[in-house]
Amino acid sequence: MTAPTPFDPKIECMDREARRELQEQRLQSLVDRLLSTDNFQGARLREAGVTRGTDVSLDEIHLLPTISKQDLWDHYPFGLRIAPEEDIVCVHGSSGTGGRPTLIPYTAHDIGIWAEVMARALKGAGATKSSIVHNAYGYGLFTGGLGVHHGGMRLGATVIPMSGGMTERQTRLIKDLKPDVLCCTPSYALRLAEELQENSIRVGVFGAEPWTEEMRQQIERQLGIRALDIYGLSEVIGPGVACESLDSEGLLNVAEDHFYPETQDGELIFTTLTKTGMPLLRYRTGDVATLEEPAGSRTLRRMSKLKGRKDDMLIIRGVNVFPTEIEAVVLNHASPHYLIVEDRRTTTAQLHVAVESTEDVKSALTAQLKERLGITCQVLVLEPGKLPRTEQGKAQRLARWTQGQAPIEGLT
């Protein structure tokens, strides 16, 4: 597939110094808007000695306080909203602890930004006004489904709003309607691949969970498509914060005219420069990635695929392990259906890896995991079909045991 022209060349290919001036203007405007309120973020800025927008610059943004998901929970449901209640047109959110979600109010302006950055993402993946987009992300509070929907309509494509699940119906409509673009989690793409012998899909835009280059190769081989990564989170906007394009060399173009990116100790931090409903200044995402310089016609900074989440990092006998490191090894030996178990039922933590394959891979997989991670894992080989398949979005790849019985027969 040839690289398409950007959706908005004026912005995506903008002179970098001109973009930086625009970002700084938007940052200072955001600070003024936050200071005009009596909410938590405005108070934090005043405590830091900031009295007006022109007190801050991009060069010194790292000196400003950050905000975290805990802050959003502490001010649940809408304590960080700055737009008038009557300007809120919808609410999205993500799951939280104890049944308490993170809720994000959106204005019509915010929805317009979301549609724009998602249209950029789809266009960069090769979608056009003639495209049919099979959208198997979930619809509802979760931002995945409606984000793709807004972007596809903004681009002028035809969107099939399938949502998640109902795999038999999904495969039926893929055969009947012949979409050229598939949007879903990478886990569900592999589930569809088990049912689709032939398909019309040319490219897939997959996100909502970390996935490795090895999984990309599995998807591309099984579906015969280009598989691209998309990144986003509801606190910032939803999907579309960053996305690979056909020519971005495996990195994701960040929509940095709207979402200013930083990293701190490997963690991504975003400032929502243009949102009006509940803008966030230096939001700590918990996601681990690196930022890279632009390449090609787009002058946007790029980010790596997610290496994982800070709260998913396992510490096993003093060694830091991300689940994506394990996936990279597993997919060289077994099917993409696997489960990692952090076992802390005794005083010495153990790491178990259950895979679907044949018994002859066990010794090689155990050896390569030890070489990659620096620790020994217990490998359990199961027959195909023994591990659960995802029918609704993200697959369970990680379990943590502290007590009780092992949930997988034969793994103790």
Side-chain angles (χ1 to χ4, degrees), residues 157-175:
T158 300
V159 181
I160 310 301
M162 281 302 303
S163 194
M166 302 181 293
T167 300
E168 184 177 350
R169 182 181 295 180
Q170 300 254 9
T171 55
R172 176 77 268 168
L173 287 183
I174 289 173
K175 292 173 183 175

Side-chain angles (χ1 to χ4, degrees), residues 214-347:
E214 287 77 9
M215 183 172 282
R216 187 204 300 273
Q217 292 166 15
Q218 289 260 6
I219 293 171
E220 291 185 339
R221 182 169 60 252
Q222 293 185 29
L223 284 173
I225 65 173
R226 282 288 302 274
L228 303 180
D229 197 359
I230 189 168
Y231 171 77
L233 60 167
S234 58
E235 297 92 329
V236 175
I237 197 71
V241 174
C243 189
E244 283 183 272
S245 56
L246 293 174
D247 59 350
S248 63
E249 302 173 350
L251 298 171
L252 289 73
N253 303 303
V254 180
E256 60 170 321
D257 53 315
H258 293 295
F259 316 115
Y260 185 78
E262 306 171 73
T263 57
Q264 182 173 300
D265 299 325
E267 180 181 8
L268 283 171
I269 297 173
F270 282 100
T271 295
T272 61
L273 298 172
T274 54
K275 283 182 67 179
T276 56
M278 196 179 85
L280 298 177
L281 178 63
R282 304 200 70 221
Y283 180 69
R284 296 182 60 172
T285 66
D287 294 322
V288 178
T290 58
L291 292 174
E292 307 288 345
E293 291 301 302
S297 62
R298 289 176 178 81
T299 57
L300 300 163
R301 271 188 291 178
R302 301 175 297 165
M303 59 174 271
S304 68
K305 289 176 69 67
L306 291 189
K307 302 178 185 300
R309 286 191 52 81
K310 294 196 76 170
D311 51 10
D312 276 349
M313 186 179 75
L314 311 176
I315 303 177
I316 307 296
R317 303 189 292 279
V319 177
N320 296 343
V321 178
F322 283 108
T324 50
E325 295 181 282
I326 298 172
E327 179 180 286
V329 177
V330 166
L331 294 186
N332 287 326
H333 296 273
S335 84
H337 306 291
Y338 66 90
L339 180 67
I340 302 163
V341 179
E342 179 190 24
D343 187 354
R344 294 189 179 275
R345 294 175 297 171
T346 63
T347 55

